Amino acid sequence: MTRLLTVAAAQLGPIQRDHTRAQVVDRLIALLHAAHRHGAELVVYPELALTTFFPRWFVDDITTADHWYETSMPNVATQPLFDEAKRLGIGFCLGYALREAAPAGATRRWNVQTLVERDGSIVATYKKTHIPGHEHHEPDRPFQHAERYYFEPSPDGFGVWRAFGGLIGMMICNDRRWPESYRVMGLQGVEMILCGYNTPIHYVPDPSQDILQGFHNALVMQSGAYQNGTWVVGVAKGGVEEGVDSLGQTMIVAPSGQIVAQALGSDDEIVVARCDLDWCSRYKDTLFDFDRYRRPELYGRICSQRGVIVAD
Ligand code: CDV
């Protein structure tokens, strides 16, 4: 029997600084209803889907940014989304900032995605592994990308969970640019990877990349899908948010590497595809039969070495 999973990638347009959680959750629920009309069983929202992309501003006292983080999930603001999704029998994946109390009065801050099953149960919360940007204030930039100030990198790595009748993995934004992200999940048999993102079109360290943002976005997700025989659902928060234009181009990519559905604009929009999870085995059992063809005994550097070492 074929395992079909109808997925909606729920792209968001901008969330401005003064938009409330209640306003945003109303938008998430409107997208949920649109997805339901298309028969979706799983709705995937972007990275930091409850707030504006606040790492674009630096604050000297990080506790003054505490209001951007959730301290529990679900919570009062998001409970209506959880309730409505459960009522409709739809699961979802939601990106947000999480703040946790740690021993000795410490605080831990994470960029996360929570995956929720169709019955409302939480499958897992994934913490972002690759944290891009900078740790300190860089006043010469037109806008900050201080994710490395606001978030710790995950200590957990990439998991894969049995959910939605298949093997589901998660990654967040910058993770999608790294082949290791896909491969670690590929080695656990992943059949669908869910990835929210916020990608400013202007890349401050090298503006020559600006015009290539859409190309690079597709390039990494299409190659990651193909090389691991998995579906990839990439979901943007796009449009002009607090003056910063961000990439849309939400897409659903098949295990063949082909884009099967893509957003047309950069505002709130759903992109739906009926995904055959069994299609993955066409690639996993042939060209990318890892057990038969991989040479891990020759790949040691990937795990033992971080930066480049050039021979003398
Ligand atoms: N939110 C992100 O992780 N954004 C990065 C930008 C900074 C390059 C990305 O990889 O899209």
Side-chain angles (χ1 to χ4, degrees):
M1 205 177 80
T2 306
R3 289 174 301 140
L4 292 172
L5 177 61
T6 302
V7 177
Q11 177 173 284
L12 283 173
I15 300 175
Q16 307 303 350
R17 188 180 190 129
D18 61 355
H19 289 175
T20 65
R21 299 281 202 292
Q23 287 172 318
V24 175
V25 169
D26 280 351
R27 285 167 63 186
L28 302 181
I29 292 174
L31 289 165
L32 184 78
H33 287 154
H36 180 61
R37 288 194 289 277
H38 284 83
E41 299 152 273
L42 169 60
V43 177
V44 186
Y45 296 109
E47 175 191 34
L48 298 180
L50 294 173
T51 63
T52 198
F53 190 80
F54 61 89
R56 75 166 62 87
W57 298 289
F58 194 87
V59 290
D60 289 327
D61 176 1
I62 198 168
T63 64
T64 64
D66 277 355
H67 61 286
W68 297 122
Y69 298 79
E70 314 305 311
T71 53
S72 62
M73 190 57 63
N75 55 32
V76 173
T78 57
Q79 192 63 55
L81 173 66
F82 278 73
D83 291 344
E84 188 61 357
K86 185 176 174 182
R87 189 183 74 79
L88 296 172
I90 302 179
F92 63 92
C93 179
L94 179 70
Y96 58 96
L98 176 66
R99 180 164 55 84
E100 291 178 326
T107 301
R108 307 197 74 174
R109 294 177 169 82
W110 313 102
N111 186 344
V112 304
Q113 277 178 182
T114 292
L115 180 61
V116 182
E117 254 291 6
R118 292 156 288 190
D119 64 359
S121 61
I122 289 182
V123 177
T125 294
Y126 165 75
K127 300 182 174 101
K128 187 171 181 174
T129 301
H130 300 96
I131 309 288
H134 47 102
E135 293 84 354
H136 306 292
H137 192 208
E138 297 190 4
D140 291 341
R141 285 175 171 254
F143 55 89
Q144 304 293 298
H145 196 105
E147 275 197 71
R148 294 176 72 84
Y149 177 64
Y150 286 108
F151 302 118
E152 283 184 59
S154 168
D156 303 330
F158 295 97
V160 168
W161 295 272
R162 288 187 188 279
F164 298 92
L167 292 164
I168 310 293
M170 290 188 273
M171 61 185 180
I172 300 179
C173 195
N174 191 258
D175 290 331
R176 77 195 189 287
R177 301 188 192 271
W178 299 89
E180 294 88 345
S181 310
Y182 303 86
R183 185 61 102 223
V184 170
M185 289 187 265
L187 286 167
Q188 299 170 78
V190 73
E191 295 173 322
M192 180 176 283
I193 299 175
L194 315 178
C195 178
Y197 59 89
N198 283 255
T199 296
I201 289 172
H202 181 39
Y203 183 60
V204 178
D206 176 16
S208 75
Q209 296 178 30
D210 296 3
I211 199 169
L212 301 172
Q213 287 294 357
F215 167 62
H216 289 156
N217 183 51
L219 177 72
V220 291
M221 291 197 286
Q222 289 186 262
S223 54
Y226 167 64
Q227 290 165 348
N228 293 279
T230 180
W231 291 89
V232 174
V233 183
V235 190
K237 170 140 64 66
V240 182
E241 195 179 81
E242 296 295 340
V244 178
D245 198 6
S246 291
L247 187 72
Q249 300 197 5
T250 288
M251 63 180 72
I252 299 175
V253 184
S256 59
Q258 292 166 291
I259 298 171
V260 297
Q262 187 170 10
L264 298 175
S266 53
D267 217 324
D268 292 13
E269 177 180 344
I270 60 154
V271 170
V272 182
R274 204 156 173 252
C275 304
D276 180 356
L277 299 179
D278 286 327
W279 201 261
C280 299
S281 63
R282 290 179 174 253
Y283 292 85
K284 290 184 192 294
D285 296 347
T286 59
L287 200 68
F288 295 113
D289 179 342
F290 289 171
D291 204 31
R292 184 167 186 192
Y293 297 120
R294 287 184 75 250
R295 301 291 311 283
E297 68 277 17
L298 302 182
Y299 307 153
R301 277 181 191 273
I302 288 176
C303 284
S304 62
Q305 184 178 323
R306 184 160 164 170
V308 175
I309 298 175
V310 179
D312 291 334

